[in-house]
Amino acid sequence: MKTIHFINKKSIVLLLATVFFLSCSSDDSSSTGTNSISSVTSVVGSGTWKITYYFDTDKEETSNFSGYNFTFGSNGVLTATNGTLTQTGTWSVTDSNSNDDDSISDLDFNIAFASPATFLELTDDWEIIERTSTVIKLKDVSGGNGGTDYLTFTKN
């Protein structure tokens, strides 16, 4: 009887270990899941967006972008236009972490403008903290002064 009892415990442990290892997946957050690079780029690549909130370290500066509509082109070109002026930059979404846990916070939303100074402030690799089909909220902790910036795009 003791031998059978020992085998059952050993079998259970082996079965649990097998289930554990098989449940670990290698899904790449850059290609699958609801928070993948392709799902984020698909959402922002559709339609035009406006900045509804921009907080730069110690003060809100949303009004600097009032009247601008942003278009995230499929070729990585970011265009901001207010009907009179057009600013052109680049954008991309990259995987900043190799945890493969499909977490939205593992994705970086990269924005780059060369000028003017107001748009240059948006240049950074932003952490995506929330995304829906109509809102994308971003956060950046500055390496230089340790300040935290927040940027929210809302679909028009």
Side-chain angles (χ1 to χ4, degrees):
M1 262 319 193
K2 284 188 177 183
T3 305
I4 293 173
H5 187 54
F6 175 75
I7 291 172
N8 285 339
K9 281 184 181 178
K10 190 174 184 180
S11 296
I12 290 172
V13 169
L14 183 59
L15 178 63
L16 289 174
T18 302
V19 168
F20 172 77
F21 287 116
L22 290 176
S23 69
C24 294
S25 69
S26 62
D27 66 332
D28 184 355
S29 64
S30 64
S31 62
T32 62
T34 59
N35 294 326
S36 67
I37 290 173
S38 62
S39 69
V40 173
T41 58
S42 175
V43 166
V44 298
S46 164
T48 61
W49 298 74
K50 61 186 170 190
I51 292 178
T52 53
Y53 185 69
Y54 177 60
F55 185 85
D56 185 15
T57 304
D58 58 355
K59 72 177 191 175
E60 183 184 353
E61 297 180 8
T62 307
S63 63
N64 291 347
F65 306 98
S66 179
Y68 278 93
N69 289 310
F70 291 78
T71 303
F72 298 92
S74 61
N75 55 357
V77 174
L78 174 56
T79 305
T81 185
N82 67 3
T84 306
L85 300 172
T86 298
Q87 308 300 333
T88 304
T90 61
W91 76 283
S92 65
V93 179
T94 55
D95 187 351
S96 65
N97 191 334
S98 61
N99 282 353
D100 293 333
D101 63 359
D102 204 27
S103 171
I104 196 76
S105 65
D106 285 347
L107 299 180
D108 281 341
F109 197 96
N110 308 294
I111 296 174
F113 283 98
S115 64
T118 303
F119 281 80
L120 193 57
E121 290 183 19
L122 301 177
T123 299
D124 223 320
D125 56 336
W126 297 85
E127 175 188 346
I128 301 172
I129 56 175
E130 184 180 326
R131 180 191 59 86
T132 68
S133 61
T134 59
V135 173
I136 185 160
K137 293 183 179 184
L138 308 170
K139 173 181 152 182
D140 178 62
V141 178
S142 174
N145 62 8
T148 302
D149 301 341
Y150 294 94
L151 176 62
T152 301
F153 286 98
T154 302
K155 193 168 192 172
N156 287 320

